[in-house]
Structure formats: structure tokens, C-alpha cells
Amino acid sequence: MKEDIIRRAIGDIDDDLIEGAKEASAAPRKKRKTVVLKRVAVAALAVVLATFGLLMLNANVRAAVLGVFIGTDSEGNTVVRFGENEESGTTDPVDVNDVMIGYVPEGLTAEEITGEDMLNDYRIIGMKSNDGKYTYAEVRIMSERVFDTKFSPGSFDYFSPTTVNGMDAFYTDDMDFIGEEYIASSGMDPDFFRGGLIIFGDGEIIISVSGYNISMDEIIRIAENVTW
Amino acid sequence: MSERPFNRNRRGNVDDRVIVQMFLDRDEDAIAEAKRRYGDYITYIACNVLHDRQDAEECLNDVLYAAWGSIPPQEPKNLRTYLGKLTRETAIDRWRKNTRKKRIRSDVVMSLDEIGEIVAGGDLDAQLEEAELSREISRYLRSIDETKRDVFIQRYWYYDPIKNICARYGFGKSKVLMMLKRTREDLAEYLKERGFIE
């Protein structure tokens, strides 16, 4: 039977491949330890951030903090604030509609998908693939006068600090965008739905750029070409 | 008991080359040494297929007997993988006999069905030599991502259950199944492009 032929052929593959797979079956136990340690570290970080968040309720403490704040709110959402300023509201606040998208990756088309129920201080621009393949990027533009930047809990393993055009930013290149149930029902490779996110702002405007099946370099390039 | 001075490494194990030479010299201590060194390894693979300790131990004896009967003329450079290959075939044969007696293990059925999918869409070249097919499969496996390669071999060479692979890598079941499916499909495409599957 042809199935037996292929089975025997797999059985006779090179010895070093067989040995390598056997060694790998022992090695990933370290990865499990690393995953556990990572989760413990994230939990510890959440505790530190929550403590810091409580401190930040104090106006004097907040005023003393420069740059960005990231933490969790009472609902467990990840909250990011940039350029906290006690005296919020400048004389000429930036209108989210004045924000321009200067770069759209090749093969994607940008369109405004802001819902009608959105306030005037919030816009969403989606970038969908022209060939129907599953690539997606999104730019969210928010006025910090109205919104804190909130993201669903559990999606991020970590944020790393960086800058975008001189503004403080946070990014992650390993985020789950869609839950396991949808992945299973879509029949798609789960890795398709892992992607990147970068958030930055200047105290008046917060920008988040995110996407899956798209490189982090492209996400950063989109971010760097957002202007206001 | 032979008076041959054994070369034992730091773990107290006889070197493979010495054991193979013992087989070649028809020294019956070769079987005991091979069992001591690789008994657990052989039993591990056999258990993955047979899921029965007693069957696996009987398989171990069959494998050592088969090694005694095949060395010489075989002179394996890597005794462990040689015994592993004998174990795969011996365990599958025993499993098939058990299956005919209706002692069916669904995990092995799934694994063999999955392997069958690789050639389901066509016929193997009538002039095909299995050794050549093995070499091509090895070539393909070397060209893919290391994790995908190791998962493929763990599933289809060692017959590791999916849940063990999931636990080993911290992957969800759907991710492992999807990974294996894509690797099988890519291997089938690879073999078709090279004329092994018509």
C-alpha cells in the first residue's frame, strides 16, 4: 500500500533529524519554565503598575511623572496615558479629523471605519488587503481629552518602550488579535492572527497602530507617517 | 560472560561502536548491552504505538531479536536510531495484529491516516525506490522551520500523542494539528513537484 511506503520512507529519514527531534522533546521543558517565569514576571509587573497607578491618583505625583503611564483600570483593561497634564486642554486642541495618514503598505487599502456612535474625538482607519488575504492594519486616533487608551486584557505579554518621531511609545510584536474559537472556526493558521501594536502620543492625541499578518517594520512605518 | 574489557563512558554505558562490534562478532552479550542502553528508548516508542506495557516489552524482545538477525550484514553507525527504526516497524506490525483482534488504539490510527494523506491525492511513482523517497523527505525536512520539523518527526516517527506534543511546546491542540496538516500538505506538494507523486 502506498501509505505503507510513505510510512516506511519517513521511518528511514536521516539519523541526525531523528536525534534532533528527540533532543528537542527534552529541551522545551526549559521553555515551559521560561513561560511560567514570564507569567510570574508579568503578574509581578501588574502588581507594581497597580501600586504605581494608586500613587498616580495623587495629583502631585502625577505632575511629577514625565512621559507615559501604562497600567490597568478597575475592569482589568490595559490603560495607557501620554503626557499627563493637570491643566488639560490647550487653547487650540488638536481635532482628530486633522490627523493625516501618510503611509499605507503596498497591497492594502485604507478606509475610514469610524462608527456613527463614535464621539468626534475618536477615529478608526482600517487597512485591508486588496487580494482578499488575511492581512489587516488599523490606525486609531484618539483625543486624550476624552479617552484613556484602553485595550482588552490578556492579549499582551509585554510592552516595550520606544519612540516614534520623538514621542514616547510602547509596542509589542507578539499579540493575539482573535480568540481561539475564531481561529478554530476560520481554519486559518493561528500564527496569522498574531501581530504587532504600537501606541504613542503627545498628551493631546493618542495614536495606536496595530495589525496582524503584517511585519512590525510596516506597523512602525505607518506610525511614523501619521502626522498632525 | 565475556572477558572482553568494556569501554564504558562516564555514565557507565558501553560505547555504541563496541556494542555493534559485539553483534558483528556474534557475542551474545551484545543483546544485554543493547537492552541496557536502549531498552527504555525502545519501550518508549513501542508504548506510543501499542499503549500497553506488556505488549511494549514483548516488542522490545522482538526488536533485540531482529537486531541480532540483521547485524551483520547491517553495520549501523547510529545504533539508537537503527533500533528505533526496527521498533517502529515491529510495533506497527504488532499493532496491526492487535487491531485485527479488535484492540484498537485511535491515536495510532489517526497518525497512520495522517501519513496516508500525504499520498492520498495521487500515486507513487512505480519505479520509486524507498531509499530515494526517504532521502527526499529528509531533504524537505531540513528545509523547513526547526520546530515544525521536530513536531513532524515526533508525531510520525516517534508516534508521540498530540497531547504530549502540546504539553512539550506549550501549544494549543489546534495549533499543533494545523502545523502538522500544513507540513503534510507542503511535503505532498514537494514530492509532487519532484515527480515522486503522480
Side-chain angles (χ1 to χ4, degrees):
Chain A
M1 276 172 27
K2 55 186 179 180
E3 292 82 6
D4 279 340
I5 295 173
I6 196 84
R7 180 182 57 76
R8 285 197 298 268
I10 290 172
D12 278 332
I13 57 174
D14 294 344
D15 288 351
D16 63 303
L17 295 173
I18 298 164
E19 293 283 5
K22 185 66 180 159
E23 284 167 17
S25 70
R29 287 193 196 105
K30 291 181 190 170
K31 186 177 176 179
R32 285 208 298 275
K33 266 193 198 169
T34 305
V35 169
V36 170
L37 286 173
K38 204 174 172 184
R39 287 180 181 165
V40 168
V42 167
L45 179 63
V47 168
V48 168
L49 289 174
T51 305
F52 185 57
L54 284 172
L55 285 174
M56 287 291 285
L57 290 175
N58 182 295
N60 290 329
V61 172
R62 276 211 309 279
V65 170
L66 300 177
V68 302
F69 165 70
I70 177 168
T72 52
D73 65 10
S74 59
E75 295 169 8
N77 295 310
T78 301
V79 177
V80 180
R81 295 198 191 99
F82 295 85
E84 185 76 19
N85 188 345
E86 271 296 302
E87 298 179 7
S88 61
T90 65
T91 53
D92 293 311
V94 178
D95 185 339
V96 295
N97 295 298
D98 292 337
V99 176
M100 306 288 289
I101 308 297
Y103 173 72
V104 178
E106 191 176 335
L108 301 187
T109 300
E111 60 176 351
E112 192 88 25
I113 55 174
T114 307
E116 288 181 359
D117 57 344
M118 296 280 189
L119 298 177
N120 290 332
D121 296 279
Y122 199 111
R123 281 173 71 199
I124 304 177
I125 294 158
M127 297 182 185
K128 296 179 183 175
S129 174
N130 296 332
D131 58 7
K133 287 188 180 170
Y134 236 99
T135 298
Y136 183 69
E138 183 175 277
V139 180
R140 294 188 180 219
I141 305 162
M142 297 154 278
S143 162
E144 197 171 337
R145 292 179 303 139
V146 179
F147 281 102
D148 296 327
T149 308
K150 289 188 180 183
F151 297 90
S152 298
S155 297
F156 311 139
D157 284 330
Y158 59 91
F159 279 123
S160 296
T162 185
T163 59
V164 174
N165 297 334
M167 288 175 281
D168 288 318
F170 278 92
Y171 79 95
T172 176
D173 60 4
D174 187 24
M175 190 167 100
D176 272 326
F177 280 83
I178 296 176
E180 278 196 11
E181 286 179 10
Y182 184 85
I183 293 172
S185 66
S186 71
M188 303 292 291
D189 188 327
D191 283 341
F192 267 38
F193 298 115
R194 298 195 74 79
L197 167 85
I198 188 163
I199 320 164
F200 60 102
D202 67 354
E204 285 293 338
I205 288 285
I206 300 169
I207 306 289
S208 84
V209 181
S210 56
Y212 51 83
N213 203 18
I214 182 174
S215 70
M216 196 66 211
D217 285 345
E218 285 282 65
I219 290 173
I220 292 171
R221 191 171 169 189
I222 296 170
E224 288 174 341
N225 284 278
V226 175
T227 56
W228 62 92
Chain B
M1 179 80 175
S2 168
E3 292 178 358
R4 180 191 305 278
F6 291 154
N7 296 320
R8 294 187 184 274
N9 60 24
R10 278 183 296 178
R11 289 185 186 172
N13 293 323
V14 179
D15 283 344
D16 274 8
R17 288 169 299 171
V18 173
I19 301 178
V20 170
Q21 191 59 51
M22 289 164 74
F23 274 104
L24 293 172
D25 293 344
R26 311 317 284 163
D27 183 342
E28 289 178 5
D29 287 337
I31 295 176
E33 285 300 325
K35 183 175 182 178
R36 187 153 78 134
R37 188 167 172 83
Y38 296 119
D40 288 345
Y41 175 75
I42 293 168
T43 309
Y44 166 78
I45 297 172
C47 272
N48 279 347
V49 177
L50 299 165
H51 294 273
D52 182 283
R53 190 76 194 179
Q54 188 177 345
D55 269 345
E57 286 177 1
E58 288 174 17
C59 181
L60 166 63
N61 292 331
D62 291 344
V63 167
L64 294 172
Y65 182 75
W68 181 258
S70 59
I71 306 172
Q74 299 293 333
E75 196 172 335
K77 290 192 176 65
N78 187 320
L79 183 60
R80 177 158 94 158
T81 56
Y82 181 77
L83 293 174
K85 289 173 185 178
L86 285 179
T87 306
R88 289 177 82 252
E89 293 308 311
T90 307
I92 287 289
D93 287 343
R94 182 175 280 267
W95 172 81
R96 284 197 166 131
K97 284 182 194 147
N98 290 346
T99 303
R100 282 198 286 273
K101 294 178 191 170
K102 305 225 184 291
R103 286 162 63 186
I104 298 170
R105 296 302 310 186
S106 61
D107 206 43
V108 177
V109 170
M110 281 169 56
S111 179
L112 295 177
D113 284 347
E114 288 163 18
I115 291 174
E117 283 176 17
I118 296 170
V119 289
D123 287 314
L124 290 166
D125 180 2
Q127 307 299 322
L128 180 67
E129 284 190 11
E130 283 185 23
E132 199 182 341
L133 180 59
S134 273
R135 280 194 294 273
E136 278 306 318
I137 294 174
S138 293
R139 235 171 250 138
Y140 165 75
L141 290 173
R142 286 186 198 287
S143 71
I144 64 174
D145 169 77
E146 187 179 346
T147 300
K148 289 178 184 168
R149 174 172 68 237
D150 289 341
V151 167
F152 184 91
I153 295 172
Q154 285 164 19
R155 177 70 176 149
Y156 301 127
W157 200 95
Y158 287 99
Y159 296 113
D160 274 342
I162 294 287
K163 63 175 183 178
N164 288 9
I165 298 173
C166 290
R168 191 171 293 145
Y169 288 94
F171 292 161
K173 186 178 174 182
S174 61
K175 177 161 183 173
V176 173
L177 290 175
M178 185 63 72
M179 188 185 291
L180 288 168
K181 183 172 184 291
R182 285 192 178 274
T183 308
R184 292 196 306 270
E185 287 170 353
D186 290 345
L187 173 58
E189 194 56 40
Y190 178 92
L191 294 175
K192 270 188 198 144
E193 285 171 2
R194 282 150 184 80
F196 288 90
I197 299 176
E198 294 164 352

